Amino acid sequence: MRLGAANPIFLLCSLYLRSIDAIFADDAYQVDFHHVLLGAPQPRNTFLYRPSVSSKASLLYTLSDRSVLGAVNPKDGSVVWRQQLSDGNGDGNGNGLLQPSSRGNLVISAVNGTVQAWDAAEGRLVWDWIGHEEIKALVVSQIDVDGHDVYVITQNNGSKAHVRKLAQHSGALIWEYQDERYDQPAFGGVAQRMMLTCFSGDMPLGLSISTQGLFYVALHSTLLQGSKVKVTSLNASNGNAQSSTTLNADIDLSDTQSVLSIESTRSSSLLVWSDRTLKSFRINTLGTNQILTTRLSNEKETSIQKIQFHALARDGGAIDITVHCQSPTSHWLEVYRLDSNSENLEKSYQLPSVEGPAVFSVAIHSGDIYFVRTTKRDVTLFSSTSDNVLGQWLLQAKPYDHLAESYDIPYAVSEVVARGKSNYAVRSALLLSSGDWKMIHNGEELWLRPESLSGVVTATWVDTDSQQSLAEELAVESHSNIGKAYVHRIKRHMRNAQSLLPWIKSLPDRTIYSLLGRDQRLGPSSSGNSFGFHKLVVAATDSGRLFALDVGSSGKILWTIQASEVKPWEQWSVESIEVGDGVALVRVLGGGSLTVDVMQGVILEDQLQSTKPGIKTTIILPNSPRSALSVQINVDGTIAIPQHGHLSQNTVIVTQDEKMVVRGWSLGTSKPSLIWAFSPRLHEKIVGVAARSSNDPVASIGKALGDRNVLYKFLNPNLLVISSVNIETHTASFDVLDSISGQVVHTLTHPMVDVTKPITCVVSENWFAYTIFSNFSGGVGKTAADFQSRSKGYQLVVSELFESPLANDRGVLGSASNPSTLHPKEADTDDQNKSPHVISQTYLLPAALSFMTVSSTLQGITPRSLLCVVPSLNSLIAIPRAVVDPRRPVGRDATSAEAEEGLFRHDGALEYDSKWVLNHMREIQGIQKVITSPSLLESTSLVFAFGSLDMFGTRVAPIGGFDILGKGFNRIQLIGTVAALALGTGVLAPLVRKKQTDSRWKGA
């Protein structure tokens, strides 16, 4: 927008926009919170690594199951940097690979066919190599023979495997080798020093590089002879095949218990695998046909459930093979020595068996190798040369331990620093089976990252207002007899008396907060719950977890539970979460449900197993005549009512089936009846249905104009906006329906729309907004209207509905004594008179919006803000409603009457103002949805954003906090002024009285 600074209308609009800042400057980073998450760390892609050769401290690197690469500070668990490697909003498949560079300044990642090198200290992209095939293995050379380059194996289903060598510092392709032998590969693959459980089929297994050479390992399955391993020796300089070896032994990997591992040291490359019973294992030095077999020392003859291999190089060319064995009740570690000639394999020693689950990790410091064993009780440090214990520390639990239940520890990475001969510092990062991440330093827990809370699919607000609880208690007493009501009141008073002592103890803190505006005990964002800021949010994740957090206490996590066991390749399909009377009802796809206490996180009733095919979800009708009635919504859009259910009349339920047909059902006295159906047009499909929020109060039925006239709003709480796209004609249609009668009250159609891009829509009060991507490539017109309609890019369309285009006119409703949307006036045959007057306006956007909602206040008096998620900016913005008012004049300046309303000239483009960004300097990644809730202050709305990664919460005041004092208000000065006035009054009052008395005597 280019307007002269001297224009008085522009100055007036600038002052107005300045007054609608979303957040006060002194509230930034005080009233909001941000949970920076990475996702569940993957064991094979997690390690401690020094970001540079000169660095003395290590960082903790991981590539999570959501394809997020991040570096974490081991001291406090804060994220140093992170990069989202997958497309979309952090929805990765967990198939990425990550390896450290041997030069100490890069980490190499491989995700979705792309290999990227990142600066280990800053997270800056150094180079990338884009392939068109799935990456099966990634190996970064640790020896000087080939220049420390990067090797990858790529393959797509139905294609041949390729081995490629990339330059470590530039990513340039040096050479490429194609495996000509296999035409039908299967899924799977392993990286260097990586365990793999795989199934039968032809597949590349991995690469191994040492001073003996570069070896490409592939598995070939036959129907009669089982699986054979073929090893190809490649020239590291040019990629030519030098020799090929087929192991004369069957490897059965068809069973999930079979384990195969490719282990590499500086001097040797080994292939280690186990049998199906996990009672013995075999070792082959790659490039030879010799196979050594050894039986594990299972002294207690227990059933071994899991084994892990690890190879360690020794002086003189010998190699130690560590085998970590786990049974249902115990675990132990066996160490075997392979001589320099790879001919003899002997057992060196065995660490004692310990009851319960545990994990072993290997740490190397100054050339010395250490074993770290971590259990739920202690941390023990062993020397790698014997079974001597160098140190042992009992675990010291932290108060946050209730956030992570007692889980197994499947993996750990450790770092050991020797401080003298007998003093050691051991730091271990534990990856819990829940998906959380914990750091332990000499038995002391330093921090816990709740990564299991990533991937939130739905969330809802919980109102903990004590006044509402008191009203519910009084309602119970009013519906009881005198005796029961008196007993209930006595019990209520006794419960209240229990909180008297804590309230008295909190008086000093409350006094300090009242004076200074800061509560040192609860944090800067705490102000009690006098204003309704301390609301809870109950959320569900796609991994089957439920948790609750306090939005008013910097997003403090109150509890978290594993509500449903979800397989790694599945997602928990939660339809909704409903809260009432302190209980959360979680509804899942198929009709199952789960009831949880929202304050304690205790499961009250579990009916998740009662899911049935063909059922989408169930809903509760609390206004039925006798009791709450459960209504079953089927996948085909029909409704099922219990046989003896009592239906409430004048209730309409809207459903949507698999074919995207929207139906309206009326509940009668016997069974539901279909009253209307909306089917997409020919070659169209419905991509979204938006409705007004259940908490969308309307403070005024009209809009006051600058000339003191009124435009009456078309207010209908039952409006739906159905979004449809036509793939063949590239058009997008938006139909506004009355969900009671099914009548289409308005339709908007846009040509030349990119229907492959997402469309988001929101409905509030008497207006709705949606976003599209216009594909117009013609020239820009002369007027602003032509510029809007013929511009290519993302567009925001805002439409406002009025009863009549004329001021002070109610339109068709003006002459109706009892208007009804279910039964319109039959005498009026003019459809134009039945439809509302719609004013629409289009705004060009600088970036796409993936989700939109509106702020909500208690009475609806405060103008709403349009809350939008901008994924390309990793931001959440609050666009003032006045900025996107469709009544803004186009192609001309606003008149004095329009300027008085706050309208100003519209030139087509809408630039995102930095004052609208709610997250300030933070980057919130993976945000997909936003929910809002009113506080007890009319000026302020609570906001909670969530998605596949981060969680963000804040407060938004669209026109400022007009009903609350800001933090900059000097309370001490006010008290001092009042005290000074009181003191002055007390001192001067006797003097005034004496003067008045003396004047009377003199007058007499």
Side-chain angles (χ1 to χ4, degrees):
M1 181 169 58
R2 299 178 181 271
L3 292 176
N7 193 329
I9 299 178
F10 174 75
L11 294 177
L12 179 62
C13 296
S14 300
L15 292 175
Y16 179 76
L17 289 179
R18 182 62 186 88
S19 66
I20 54 178
D21 288 354
I23 295 179
F24 285 116
D26 56 354
D27 284 339
Y29 303 102
Q30 302 295 321
V31 301
D32 50 7
F33 66 89
H34 180 205
H35 287 293
V36 184
L37 300 177
L38 302 173
Q42 297 299 288
R44 62 180 179 179
N45 298 325
T46 302
F47 49 83
L48 284 160
Y49 177 65
R50 292 187 178 183
S52 63
V53 178
S54 59
S55 177
K56 297 182 179 179
S58 301
L59 294 180
L60 192 56
Y61 296 88
T62 188
L63 181 61
S64 71
D65 61 341
R66 302 187 183 276
S67 298
V68 176
L69 170 62
V72 176
N73 190 341
K75 294 183 179 179
D76 55 7
S78 61
V79 176
V80 179
W81 59 265
R82 60 175 177 169
Q83 296 289 346
Q84 187 172 307
L85 305 186
S86 63
D87 296 333
N89 292 308
D91 298 322
N93 51 18
N95 292 331
L97 300 171
L98 182 67
Q99 288 288 317
S101 168
S102 59
R103 297 289 177 88
N105 60 346
L106 297 176
V107 288
I108 314 296
S109 65
V111 176
N112 295 335
T114 301
V115 180
Q116 295 172 308
W118 306 89
D119 184 278
E122 302 176 355
R124 175 177 49 87
L125 179 63
V126 178
W127 58 261
D128 60 351
W129 176 84
I130 301 177
H132 301 284
E133 297 177 321
E134 181 182 355
I135 298 178
K136 299 293 186 177
L138 171 69
V139 176
V140 179
S141 175
Q142 305 294 327
I143 61 176
D144 299 328
V145 175
D146 65 333
H148 300 274
D149 290 321
V150 180
Y151 297 87
V152 293
I153 300 179
T154 61
Q155 183 188 52
N156 278 340
N157 291 334
S159 64
K160 299 178 181 179
H162 292 78
V163 180
R164 293 180 173 93
K165 179 180 180 180
L166 309 176
Q168 183 175 158
H169 293 289
S170 64
L173 179 63
I174 299 177
W175 55 256
E176 177 180 351
Y177 167 78
Q178 178 175 303
D179 187 0
E180 300 288 349
R181 293 171 296 181
Y182 305 124
D183 295 328
Q184 299 294 330
F187 59 89
V190 294
Q192 183 184 20
R193 296 174 59 182
M194 162 189 160
M195 296 295 180
L196 176 71
T197 300
C198 44
F199 302 91
S200 60
D202 298 345
M203 67 184 72
L205 292 180
L207 289 170
S208 179
I209 185 169
S210 63
T211 55
Q212 294 181 349
L214 173 64
F215 298 97
Y216 164 63
V217 184
L219 182 67
H220 176 68
S221 297
T222 61
L223 295 176
L224 300 178
Q225 299 180 356
S227 300
K228 300 288 185 179
V229 173
K230 295 186 178 181
V231 181
T232 303
S233 176
L234 302 178
N235 189 315
S237 301
N238 53 31
N240 294 331
Q242 296 177 334
S243 62
S244 178
T245 304
T246 301
L247 297 184
N248 190 20
D250 293 338
I251 299 179
D252 186 3
L253 297 178
S254 60
D255 192 271
T256 57
Q257 298 297 326
S258 302
V259 178
L260 181 143
S261 177
I262 299 176
E263 298 293 328
S264 299
T265 65
R266 182 178 180 82
S267 59
S268 300
S269 299
L270 304 176
L271 181 66
V272 187
W273 70 94
S274 67
D275 59 357
R276 296 182 57 184
T277 61
L278 300 182
K279 294 182 179 180
S280 62
F281 67 94
R282 300 179 180 182
I283 297 179
N284 168 256
T285 301
L286 296 181
T288 67
N289 291 320
Q290 185 177 7
I291 299 176
L292 303 178
T293 304
T294 300
R295 186 176 181 84
L296 295 173
S297 301
N298 190 355
E299 299 176 356
K300 297 183 180 181
E301 297 297 332
T302 59
S303 175
I304 300 177
Q305 292 184 333
K306 181 180 179 181
I307 62 175
Q308 291 177 322
F309 300 109
H310 194 85
L312 302 171
R314 289 295 182 184
D315 296 336
I319 301 175
D320 281 353
I321 307 296
T322 64
V323 184
H324 178 207
C325 305
Q326 283 190 336
S327 71
T329 59
S330 62
H331 68 274
W332 65 93
L333 183 73
E334 300 180 10
V335 181
Y336 295 84
R337 176 66 57 87
L338 181 66
D339 61 17
S340 57
N341 297 325
S342 302
E343 295 180 354
N344 296 320
L345 180 66
E346 297 179 354
K347 182 178 179 180
S348 299
Y349 61 92
Q350 176 179 332
L351 297 183
S353 176
V354 178
E355 299 296 328
V359 63
F360 280 93
S361 55
V362 179
I364 302 176
H365 176 69
S366 300
D368 296 328
I369 302 174
Y370 302 91
F371 295 146
V372 181
R373 183 183 65 193
T374 306
T375 67
K376 295 181 179 181
R377 300 178 300 274
D378 56 25
V379 177
T380 308
L381 177 64
F382 297 93
S383 170
S384 62
T385 58
S386 64
D387 57 355
N388 296 332
V389 177
L390 301 180
Q392 188 173 20
W393 301 269
L394 295 177
L395 288 182
Q396 304 173 18
K398 288 287 186 178
Y400 53 67
D401 243 2
H402 68 281
L403 298 181
E405 297 101 337
S406 179
Y407 281 97
D408 294 338
I409 308 173
Y411 188 76
V413 291
S414 300
E415 189 177 49
V416 177
V417 176
R419 301 173 179 174
K421 296 183 178 180
S422 59
N423 190 13
Y424 298 91
V426 179
R427 185 165 55 183
S428 300
L430 309 181
L431 309 183
L432 307 181
S433 58
S434 63
D436 296 324
W437 214 0
K438 182 187 295 185
M439 175 62 71
I440 297 177
H441 179 264
N442 286 0
E444 180 183 1
E445 298 180 6
L446 299 182
W447 48 261
L448 173 71
R449 291 188 55 84
E451 301 294 348
S452 61
L453 304 186
S454 61
V456 178
V457 293
T458 186
T460 189
W461 292 94
V462 180
D463 194 349
T464 59
D465 185 15
S466 59
Q467 295 180 359
Q468 180 178 359
S469 301
L470 178 59
E472 295 175 355
E473 295 282 355
L474 295 178
V476 173
E477 295 175 5
S478 63
H479 290 78
S480 304
N481 56 45
I482 298 178
K484 292 183 179 180
Y486 182 77
V487 174
H488 186 276
R489 178 170 298 183
I490 293 297
K491 293 181 179 180
R492 176 166 56 86
H493 289 171
M494 293 179 63
R495 290 196 302 268
N496 295 338
Q498 296 177 359
S499 60
L500 178 62
L501 185 60
W503 181 84
I504 295 176
K505 290 182 179 180
S506 65
L507 282 178
D509 294 335
R510 294 168 64 91
T511 303
I512 294 175
Y513 171 78
S514 299
L515 295 177
L516 303 179
R518 183 176 296 273
D519 192 335
Q520 300 294 340
R521 180 176 58 87
L522 296 178
S525 66
S526 174
S527 59
N529 203 24
S530 302
F531 303 131
F533 294 155
H534 282 266
K535 287 189 176 183
L536 306 185
V537 169
V538 177
T541 69
D542 54 11
S543 60
R545 297 193 69 82
L546 277 177
F547 65 92
L549 54 83
D550 185 358
V551 175
S553 297
S554 300
K556 178 183 178 182
I557 301 174
L558 303 180
W559 53 263
T560 172
I561 58 174
Q562 187 70 37
S564 176
E565 295 297 332
V566 181
K567 298 179 181 179
W569 57 88
E570 296 179 348
Q571 290 187 348
W572 197 26
S573 301
V574 180
E575 290 290 326
S576 63
I577 302 178
E578 304 170 10
V579 177
D581 298 331
V583 174
L585 180 62
V586 183
R587 302 191 180 279
V588 301
L589 183 66
S593 63
L594 186 73
T595 306
V596 181
D597 188 319
V598 297
M599 302 304 297
Q600 303 296 331
V602 179
I603 298 178
L604 303 178
E605 185 179 6
D606 187 352
Q607 294 183 353
L608 295 178
Q609 304 301 325
S610 60
T611 58
K612 298 179 181 178
I615 300 178
K616 184 177 182 180
T617 186
T618 56
I619 60 175
I620 296 294
L621 299 181
N623 58 340
S624 55
R626 298 185 180 180
S627 61
L629 179 65
S630 177
V631 178
Q632 176 181 302
I633 308 298
N634 299 322
V635 177
D636 58 0
T638 59
I639 296 178
I641 302 294
Q643 294 182 355
H644 302 288
H646 297 275
L647 303 178
S648 296
Q649 299 185 25
N650 301 325
T651 300
V652 176
I653 299 177
V654 179
T655 63
Q656 186 175 2
D657 61 11
E658 294 176 319
K659 298 181 179 179
M660 308 304 290
V661 176
V662 182
R663 295 181 174 90
W665 302 84
S666 176
L667 300 186
T669 56
S670 58
K671 63 179 182 178
S673 59
L674 179 65
I675 56 177
W676 60 267
F678 180 87
S679 301
R681 303 171 185 85
L682 184 64
H683 304 303
E684 281 190 357
K685 67 174 183 178
I686 297 177
V687 294
V689 178
R692 287 184 60 180
S693 171
S694 58
N695 182 26
D696 190 23
V698 178
S700 175
I701 64 173
K703 175 175 287 189
L705 305 182
D707 56 3
R708 303 302 184 266
N709 291 317
V710 177
L711 276 179
Y712 286 98
K713 303 176 183 178
F714 183 83
L715 297 173
N716 186 345
N718 307 308
L719 285 184
L720 295 177
V721 177
I722 301 179
S723 309
S724 307
V725 296
N726 191 318
I727 301 178
E728 295 185 358
T729 61
H730 300 283
T731 59
S733 301
F734 299 87
D735 297 279
V736 183
L737 271 74
D738 181 357
S739 61
I740 301 298
S741 63
Q743 178 185 5
V744 178
V745 299
H746 187 67
T747 299
L748 287 170
T749 302
H750 299 268
M752 299 299 293
V753 174
D754 188 348
V755 297
T756 62
K757 296 186 180 299
I759 295 176
T760 179
C761 182
V762 63
V763 184
S764 176
E765 204 174 4
N766 69 316
W767 59 275
F768 63 94
Y770 55 85
T771 61
I772 58 175
F773 184 88
S774 176
N775 259 334
F776 269 112
S777 57
V780 179
K782 297 181 179 180
T783 65
D786 294 336
F787 175 73
Q788 300 165 29
S789 61
R790 296 184 176 274
S791 299
K792 183 175 182 178
Y794 292 100
Q795 297 181 357
L796 171 65
V797 182
V798 183
S799 300
E800 192 166 7
L801 286 69
F802 296 96
E803 293 182 358
S804 172
L806 304 177
N808 305 322
D809 181 29
R810 297 300 302 271
V812 68
L813 300 181
S815 59
S817 59
N818 188 20
S820 172
T821 57
L822 183 59
H823 302 288
K825 292 180 60 178
E826 298 179 359
D828 191 357
T829 58
D830 187 3
D831 292 337
Q832 297 292 334
N833 295 333
K834 300 178 183 179
S835 301
H837 173 63
V838 181
I839 302 176
S840 298
Q841 196 63 271
T842 303
Y843 301 86
L844 295 180
L845 302 177
L849 305 178
S850 61
F851 185 83
M852 293 191 302
T853 188
V854 294
S855 59
S856 59
T857 56
L858 200 59
Q859 303 296 332
I861 301 174
T862 303
R864 292 163 173 80
S865 288
L866 188 62
L867 305 179
C868 308
V869 177
V870 189
S872 61
L873 303 178
N874 290 328
S875 298
L876 174 65
I877 63 174
I879 303 177
R881 175 67 176 83
V883 176
V884 293
D885 195 319
R887 295 181 59 248
R888 286 175 54 184
V890 178
R892 61 175 179 85
D893 295 334
T895 63
S896 58
E898 291 173 336
E900 188 175 349
E901 296 181 50
L903 302 177
F904 53 98
R905 180 170 180 166
H906 170 53
D907 284 339
L910 179 66
E911 298 294 336
Y912 297 152
D913 195 328
S914 60
K915 295 189 295 293
W916 301 347
V917 180
L918 300 181
N919 50 295
H920 307 291
M921 298 298 294
R922 300 185 179 102
E923 287 191 358
I924 49 176
Q925 296 187 7
I927 296 299
Q928 297 171 330
K929 296 181 181 179
V930 182
I931 58 175
T932 61
S933 178
S935 66
L936 297 182
L937 298 177
E938 175 58 30
S939 65
T940 308
S941 174
L942 304 181
V943 179
F944 179 68
F946 59 91
S948 59
L949 280 179
D950 293 354
M951 293 180 289
F952 176 75
T954 186
R955 308 172 197 165
V956 58
I959 58 174
F962 55 83
D963 49 2
I964 186 174
L965 296 176
K967 295 186 183 301
F969 184 80
N970 196 330
R971 295 170 174 83
I972 297 180
Q973 183 179 358
L974 175 63
I975 295 175
T977 302
V978 174
L981 291 175
L983 179 61
T985 303
V987 173
L988 296 177
L991 299 179
V992 173
R993 287 195 300 268
K994 184 177 183 302
K995 184 177 179 179
Q996 292 176 349
T997 303
D998 292 343
S999 64
R1000 291 175 182 176
W1001 279 106
K1002 290 180 181 180

